Amino acid sequence: MTSPLGVILAGGLATRMGGGDKGLLQIGGQSLLERVRDRLAPQVSGLALNANGDAARFSDLGLPVVRDSVEGFAGPLAGVLAGLDWAAEQGAEAIVTAAADTPFFPQDLVARLVAASDGQKYPLVLATTPRTGEELKSGGRSKVNRHPTFGLWPVALREDLRAALNDGLRKVVLWTDQHRGREALFEAQPFDPFFNVNTPEDLKRAEELLR
């Protein structure tokens, strides 16, 4: 497989932060989006931002902005589809997605996702971390947390995904499970690298983690 393209998912509503663009919040003098961009760009062959509304507010990032083609804020799968449509125009085989509010994800994310897809007809892999402590007690049989906004996605399945979204599917893992998606396990010590900023308290914690 050729090196995948990267897509930063920033199409959410940020309701727990009072609305607006979480990715434009800053830690350490830099926006979350800038940190995600700088972390993902060296791992991929090209990069775009999935966001809705006026694209001009992201002009400082220097990235192409692709918006959802499915109306009504259909969740991360709509952003994945927008990224796949963009990648198809570039002649790419696959994309790797990262969430705009998750500034500490692994620097070997793409390499590990691609490695986990070896032998798959369609490269489809989600990042996971181990469940520990209270999480493990309350998590049923699953011993891992799946991170559905961090994945490797095949351009070849974009029409299947479009049909599923138009039929009302919104849950990422339901679609990946249908296509025998795999998992790539990442360590969660000293903290979960997929920690994301959902609340003002999370923003404070991100500042602490950065230090």
Side-chain angles (χ1 to χ4, degrees):
M1 184 175 65
T2 57
S3 179
L5 294 171
V7 177
I8 301 172
L9 301 177
L13 296 173
T15 52
R16 282 185 280 178
M17 291 294 286
D21 296 299
K22 280 194 294 181
L24 297 180
L25 298 172
Q26 293 200 350
I27 57 170
Q30 200 177 20
S31 73
L32 296 175
L33 263 173
E34 287 173 313
R35 292 184 177 278
V36 172
R37 176 199 62 190
D38 294 349
R39 210 166 182 87
L40 186 57
Q43 303 186 47
V44 294
S45 58
L47 191 57
L49 174 68
N50 162 243
N52 300 301
D54 184 5
R57 68 195 195 276
F58 301 112
S59 59
D60 289 349
L61 291 171
L63 298 177
V65 179
V66 295
R67 59 182 302 138
D68 294 352
S69 60
V70 179
E71 297 299 322
F73 294 101
L77 279 177
V80 171
L81 177 60
L84 291 173
D85 286 341
W86 168 74
E89 295 172 359
Q90 316 302 312
E93 295 178 55
I95 64 170
V96 167
T97 55
D101 60 358
T102 308
F104 307 118
F105 64 88
Q107 292 176 307
D108 61 351
L109 171 74
V110 175
R112 300 266 300 274
L113 292 174
V114 170
S117 74
D118 186 45
Q120 281 185 303
K121 182 179 180 181
Y122 302 119
L124 184 58
V125 183
L126 293 182
T128 66
T129 48
R131 286 181 182 270
T132 57
E134 291 303 314
E135 272 188 339
L136 188 57
K137 293 177 185 177
S138 62
R141 289 180 295 174
S142 176
K143 294 184 178 181
V144 298
N145 287 315
R146 290 195 277 192
H147 302 284
T149 52
F150 286 85
L152 173 68
W153 312 87
V155 171
L157 289 180
R158 69 191 177 107
E159 295 306 330
D160 183 284
L161 178 55
R162 194 186 320 278
L165 282 164
N166 287 334
D167 284 342
L169 182 73
R170 297 294 182 263
K171 194 168 177 61
V172 173
V173 297
L174 290 181
W175 189 75
T176 57
D177 286 349
Q178 286 174 15
H179 294 283
R180 298 184 179 181
R182 294 180 182 174
E183 299 173 352
L185 184 65
F186 294 83
E187 288 302 314
Q189 298 297 330
F191 63 91
D192 190 330
F194 300 101
F195 163 77
N196 65 312
V197 176
N198 278 322
T199 66
E201 290 73 25
D202 290 338
L203 191 65
K204 292 178 184 176
R205 184 172 180 229
E207 286 276 11
E208 293 167 1
L209 291 172
L210 187 63
R211 289 196 291 268

